[in-house]
Amino acid sequence: DAAAVSAGNSSWQLGYAGFLVPKVFLQAYPLTGRDEYLIGARDFILGWLDFESNSWIPVGFLWNDHSIASRGSILSNFWEAYRRHPLYDPKAGAKILKLARLTADNLARPSLYTFRTNHGTMQSLALAKLSLYFPSLENFEGYGQLAIDRLLEQLKYFFSQQKIVNEHSVGYHAFGLVLLDNTRLLSSMIRGTVPAELNAIFKRAVDFLGS
């Protein structure tokens, strides 16, 4: 429902634009084995593609950095579950690929990249994930390399010299460790290696959290 994009408060709008609805469906699907949850996620995503493709102005959190990153991650999870499912529809699949392209292009766009906060890290992680889950799309390998380059460059802003997350609470430090661990995983998958710098920062950051 396009009206729901700008309905309610900012928390609702961020969740809706960040694919909270298909996220819940994708959590329910493996727990229940009921195909209607997977198809519900598909139908929401296809509806979103129609909405975003015909949008000219940023309604609600449509092109918010956080919401685009969340969409990229959840879209990847959906594709993993859907692309080999017996109910796979090639026409729907083609549209999903179109949305993956649109989402990755937005994540890679310099004007939408917010490197000064954890949102930028989330954007790069989502871009790296899309490059892995949609390897057949043109230039997506390059997007994976761009994402890892950005993640490594961002470490100087994200972590202090003491390897503490440069945001305002220990909760952000814990969240930053999750993002950093995902960075290590994606770097190993895309480049076949984890830079020693990443492992060193992770160890010191974990030590600080436990102190």
Side-chain angles (χ1 to χ4, degrees):
D1 183 354
V5 176
S6 55
N9 59 27
S10 59
S11 294
W12 162 260
Q13 292 177 20
L14 177 60
Y16 198 78
F19 278 10
L20 177 61
V21 174
K23 178 181 179 180
V24 171
F25 288 161
L26 289 171
Q27 290 172 336
Y29 169 62
L31 292 174
T32 64
R34 291 167 56 182
D35 289 340
E36 56 260 43
Y37 288 119
L38 183 64
I39 299 308
R42 181 201 66 188
D43 291 347
F44 183 98
I45 291 170
L46 293 178
W48 183 271
L49 172 63
D50 290 339
F51 170 75
E52 184 171 2
S53 298
N54 290 287
S55 295
W56 291 87
I57 57 174
V59 178
F61 283 72
L62 172 60
W63 292 313
N64 170 267
D65 51 5
H66 188 153
S67 64
I68 299 173
S70 182
R71 291 201 298 270
S73 179
I74 295 167
L75 183 63
S76 299
N77 294 341
F78 167 77
W79 186 244
E80 181 182 28
Y82 181 66
R83 64 193 179 100
R84 292 193 178 96
H85 193 276
L87 294 177
Y88 176 82
D89 176 3
K91 290 183 179 179
K95 291 182 178 180
I96 298 300
L97 294 177
K98 179 180 178 181
L99 182 58
R101 164 63 63 188
L102 175 63
T103 305
D105 287 348
N106 280 332
L107 287 169
R109 196 183 307 278
S111 61
L112 294 177
Y113 176 47
T114 52
F115 66 89
R116 294 180 181 86
T117 75
N118 66 75
H119 289 194
T121 305
M122 292 168 60
Q123 287 175 289
S124 296
L125 288 171
L127 184 60
K129 191 172 180 179
L130 284 166
S131 77
L132 290 169
Y133 282 68
F134 296 89
S136 64
L137 291 179
E138 184 180 1
N139 193 44
F140 266 40
E141 182 179 354
Y143 276 167
Q145 298 293 341
L146 171 64
I148 299 302
D149 285 344
R150 282 180 170 181
L151 287 164
L152 295 176
E153 174 66 20
Q154 195 186 27
L155 290 176
K156 69 180 68 173
Y157 304 103
F158 200 19
F159 287 87
S160 70
Q161 291 184 350
Q162 294 76 31
K163 309 314 174 192
I164 302 169
V165 169
N166 285 321
E167 296 195 66
H168 60 68
S169 71
V170 70
Y172 271 101
H173 183 76
F175 179 59
L177 275 172
V178 173
L179 299 181
L180 183 58
D181 201 29
N182 286 336
T183 300
R184 295 163 74 215
L185 174 62
L186 289 168
S187 177
S188 68
M189 296 176 72
I190 291 173
R191 293 189 172 173
T193 183
V194 179
E197 177 189 14
L198 270 179
N199 288 326
I201 292 174
F202 185 77
K203 183 181 184 305
R204 290 185 62 183
V206 169
D207 290 344
F208 170 78
L209 188 64
S211 63

